[in-house]
């Protein structure tokens, strides 16, 4: 009885091994498909054609007007710097706190200073090595931008400057705008901005 049982088990094991090897055994011979193991199945892959749809494509485009969740921006002005009336947002929506300014400084030094240098003058390391002229943020023209226009330049780029919307989050872009304002203020300072007790030390 015991030997018969062992023989039966061995037989099953051998059968399993033999059949199991059919589809996964590397061989130059054409495979014997005993079980498909879902390796062969009817399905459409991207870009395949199909006679089923009138346009002959297997893939369907998104429904008109559909928007991916991550592309949905409830507060458009915050994300573009452009208000509903088509004008640039006048004032930075982020609060002007020390924390925001320090964050703006950090991001400015990382992302903007290679071209614009740390003061915003436009004489960074990149233009020193390449023929490329970044704008000077202390030009009256740029100083007179409203906050939203600077945000928009960072977001979309302008002329030869690339946009940084993929590298820098909206919140940080507004922080950079706040810091650019601080730089401009520093660049346009006058004796009146120096505390009275320190004015004598300024040459
Ligand atoms: C790869 C180099 C490069 C980097 C990095 C860069 N800029 Fe610029 N930027 C330029 C160039 C070049 C111009 C001049 C564009 C032109 O007028 O053709 C410019 C112009 C500007 C202007 C003036 C736009 C105008 O209308 O004159 C502002 C403001 C500005 N950049 C802000 C920023 C800020 C803020 C950052 C950091 C987020 C930044 N830039 C990063 C190259 C750069």
């Amino acid at each position: 009885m015991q030997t018969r049982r062992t023989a039966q088990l061995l037989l099953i094991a051998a059968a399993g091994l033999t059949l199991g090897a059919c589809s996964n055994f590397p061989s130059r011979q054409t495979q014997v498909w005993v079980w498909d193991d879902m390796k062969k199945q009817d399905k459409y892959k991207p870009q395949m054609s199909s006679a089923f749809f009138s346009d002959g494509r297997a893939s369907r485009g998104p429904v008109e007007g559909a928007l991916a969740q991550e592309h949905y921006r409830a507060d458009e002005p915050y994300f573009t710097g452009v208000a509903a009336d088509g004008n640039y947002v006048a004032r930075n929506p982020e609060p002007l706190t020390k924390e925001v300014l320090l964050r703006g400084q950090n991001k400015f030094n990382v992302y903007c200073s290679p071209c614009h240098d740390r003061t915003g003058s436009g004489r960074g390391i990149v233009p020193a090595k390449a023929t490329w002229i970044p704008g000077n943020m202390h030009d009256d023209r740029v100083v007179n931008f409203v906050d939203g226009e600077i945000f928009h330049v960072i977001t979309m780029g302008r002329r030869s400057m690339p946009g940084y919307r993929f590298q820098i989050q909206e919140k940080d872009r507004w922080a950079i705008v706040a810091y650019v304002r601080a730089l401009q203020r520093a660049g346009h300072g006058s004796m009146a901005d120096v505390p009275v007790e320190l004015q004598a030390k300024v040459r």
Side-chain angles (χ1 to χ4, degrees):
M1 196 63 199
Q2 185 66 37
T3 34
R4 232 181 106 190
R5 216 186 146 81
T6 318
Q8 264 177 353
L9 278 173
L10 278 175
L11 199 68
I12 293 171
L17 279 176
T18 327
L19 291 176
C22 286
S23 63
N24 276 331
F25 194 68
S27 154
R28 286 176 189 277
Q29 317 289 293
T30 315
Q31 288 186 345
V32 182
W33 293 90
V34 180
W35 293 301
D36 285 345
D37 288 343
M38 293 178 76
K39 279 180 187 148
K40 288 185 172 184
Q41 50 177 291
D42 290 333
K43 64 167 176 260
Y44 286 120
K45 290 184 175 170
Q47 313 291 344
M48 278 173 82
S49 63
S50 159
F52 183 78
F53 295 107
S54 56
D55 64 356
R57 307 169 191 220
S59 307
R60 306 288 79 213
V63 176
E64 189 142 355
L67 196 62
Q69 260 189 50
E70 60 269 26
H71 292 160
Y72 176 64
R73 304 281 191 236
D75 188 355
E76 189 110 340
Y78 187 86
F79 291 96
T80 60
V82 181
D85 59 8
N87 290 323
Y88 291 116
V89 171
R91 281 193 70 86
N92 195 332
E94 286 295 322
L96 203 61
T97 60
K98 188 175 174 191
E99 200 194 352
V100 168
L101 279 171
L102 285 175
R103 180 135 188 104
Q105 180 181 46
N106 172 269
K107 295 289 167 184
F108 182 93
N109 289 345
V110 171
Y111 290 105
C112 317
S113 72
C115 293
H116 289 278
D117 92 2
R118 292 198 170 198
T119 68
S121 74
R123 288 192 294 263
I125 190 83
V126 173
K129 310 259 177 202
T131 324
W132 204 3
I133 308 162
N136 180 354
M137 292 186 200
H138 302 284
D139 280 350
D140 284 342
R141 194 176 54 83
V142 182
V143 172
N144 289 329
F145 283 180
V146 290
D147 290 347
E149 184 162 6
I150 297 181
F151 182 88
H152 197 261
V153 171
I154 306 174
T155 306
M156 303 306 293
R158 183 168 284 185
R159 295 184 291 270
S160 54
M161 175 180 151
Y164 281 82
R165 62 189 173 286
F166 297 119
Q167 290 92 329
I168 315 172
Q169 290 179 7
E170 287 81 12
K171 208 175 155 63
D172 291 343
R173 273 180 253 151
W174 283 117
I176 291 176
V177 171
Y179 184 65
V180 168
R181 287 308 187 201
L183 285 178
Q184 289 173 336
R185 184 85 211 288
H188 280 67
S190 69
M191 204 42 121
D193 294 314
V194 183
V196 187
E197 64 273 21
L198 294 176
Q199 281 183 5
K201 292 195 183 165
V202 180
R203 279 177 291 148

